[in-house]
Amino acid sequence: MIEVYVDGASAGDPGRSGAGVFIKGHGKAEEFSIPLGLMTNHEAEYHAVIKGMEICIQKEYRVVSFRTDSQLVDRAIEKQFVKNNQYSPLLEKILELSKQFDLFFIKWIPSKENNVADQLARNAIHNQS
């Protein structure tokens, strides 16, 4: 099983944003720092999941366990529902991508357990001009 830690961050709300993706599995670790442009922190959290899923699909990882420190995103995916319609297209994209895995699930973790993905997301913000 592949473990995927994701985090989104924004410098402002909205502001320059980034996604951090940290993948552990098959005896190796991979780190991705992805600039996202201008968006809110919540949007960045959703985009971090999407980017992580796209990376896993590209690498043909079929059984994945995602970890996020965003309760908003975790609950939305688990319930397949968002209160704020602004996030509906992002949730739909996640649900569509999840069909490409043999097994996909997401789990909320405390921020202190998501330090690597958090730092990767912050690096992505600082690497934008």
Side-chain angles (χ1 to χ4, degrees):
M1 169 153 331
I2 301 295
E3 291 181 11
V4 184
Y5 294 78
V6 295
D7 199 13
S10 294
D13 206 20
R16 286 181 304 159
S17 301
V21 179
F22 176 59
I23 301 174
K24 290 185 349 184
H26 301 306
K28 63 181 178 177
E30 301 171 89
E31 298 180 353
F32 302 89
S33 222
I34 306 157
L36 297 174
L38 294 176
M39 62 182 62
T40 68
N41 188 64
H42 290 317
E43 288 174 306
E45 295 283 2
Y46 279 100
H47 280 280
V49 174
I50 291 167
K51 294 297 185 185
M53 294 174 86
E54 290 172 343
I55 291 167
C56 288
I57 290 166
Q58 176 189 4
K59 293 181 170 289
E60 298 183 0
Y61 297 151
R62 308 298 303 158
V63 178
V64 295
S65 172
F66 272 62
R67 311 283 202 274
T68 179
D69 60 18
S70 170
Q71 290 181 332
L72 177 83
V73 172
D74 175 61
R75 288 183 186 141
I77 295 169
E78 289 295 326
K79 294 180 180 182
Q80 299 185 11
F81 173 79
V82 290
K83 288 183 182 177
N84 185 335
N85 287 334
Q86 171 186 354
Y87 306 125
S88 289
L90 298 171
L91 177 60
E92 290 301 318
K93 174 93 173 170
I94 290 168
L95 296 176
E96 196 59 38
L97 288 171
S98 72
K99 295 175 184 174
Q100 297 186 46
F101 296 99
D102 295 336
L103 177 64
F104 168 85
F105 61 92
I106 190 161
K107 175 184 174 185
W108 176 83
I109 58 172
S111 296
K112 65 183 178 194
E113 294 178 23
N114 207 23
N115 290 335
V116 175
D118 176 66
Q119 190 58 54
L120 291 168
R122 293 179 190 284
N123 291 349
I125 291 171
H126 298 301
N127 291 336
Q128 296 178 60
S129 50

